[in-house]
C-alpha cells in the first residue's frame, strides 16, 4: 500500500524537528518494496510510497515541493524476503516495505 499508517504518521511527526534542524540541507525521499509482485508493479508502488511521504512532509512545511523522490522497487532490500530454506519471510518482507528520507548533510549549509 501507499497510504500512511498511524505508526508511519507518528514516525513522520518525530522526523519534523530533525528536518527543521537540518535547515537548508537538501533531502530526497526513497520508496522501497518487498520482493512480491512484478518489477513494474513494485517500481510503481515504491514511487507512490515516496510521493505519499513527500506530500505529507510538504504539507507540514518540512520540505520544499521540489524535493525529489526515487522509487527503488525491490532492488535495495534491508532484510531477506525469504528464509534460508526458501520459504517466505514475512518479517523480512515487512522491513523491506519502507520509505527513507535521505538528507545530504554535505550540501546546502550556508
Amino acid at each position: 500500500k501507499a497510504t500512511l499508517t498511524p505508526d508511519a504518521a507518528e514516525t513522520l511527526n518525530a522526523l519534523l524537528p530533525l528536518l527543521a534542524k537540518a535547515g537548508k540541507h537538501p533531502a530526497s525521499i526513497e520508496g522501497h518494496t518487498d520482493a512480491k509482485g512484478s518489477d513494474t508493479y513494485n517500481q510503481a508502488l515504491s514511487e507512490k510510497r515516496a510521493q505519499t511521504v513527500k506530500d505529507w512532509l510538504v504539507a507540514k512545511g518540512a520540505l520544499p515541493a521540489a524535493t525529489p523522490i526515487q522509487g527503488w522497487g525491490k532492488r535495495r532490500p534491508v532484510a531477506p524476503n525469504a528464509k534460508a530454506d526458501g520459504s517466505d519471510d514475512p518479517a523480512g518482507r515487512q522491513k523491506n516495505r519502507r520509505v527513507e528520507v535521505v538528507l545530504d548533510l554535505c550540501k546546502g549549509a550556508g
Side-chain angles (χ1 to χ4, degrees):
K1 294 181 181 180
T3 56
L4 290 179
T5 64
D7 285 346
E10 185 178 326
T11 299
L12 290 173
N13 273 313
L15 179 63
L16 293 175
L18 299 173
L19 290 173
K21 185 177 180 180
K24 299 289 184 189
H25 292 287
S28 62
I29 302 175
E30 300 179 351
H32 303 269
T33 67
D34 63 23
K36 290 222 175 203
S38 70
D39 288 344
T40 302
Y41 173 82
N42 282 318
Q43 181 62 37
L45 179 57
S46 66
E47 291 170 8
K48 287 178 189 173
R49 286 179 174 162
Q51 188 66 51
T52 297
V53 170
K54 175 187 170 177
D55 291 346
W56 191 95
L57 291 169
V58 169
K60 297 289 185 183
L63 289 177
T67 301
I69 64 164
Q70 171 72 51
W72 291 106
K74 57 186 175 185
R75 294 188 305 268
R76 292 187 171 185
V78 294
N81 287 289
K83 297 178 182 175
D85 66 3
S87 64
D88 186 36
D89 185 348
R93 287 189 303 103
Q94 175 62 43
K95 290 177 183 176
N96 291 326
R97 295 189 299 263
R98 68 194 191 283
V99 173
E100 298 175 350
V101 177
V102 181
L103 292 173
D104 186 344
L105 299 178
C106 296
K107 292 183 184 173

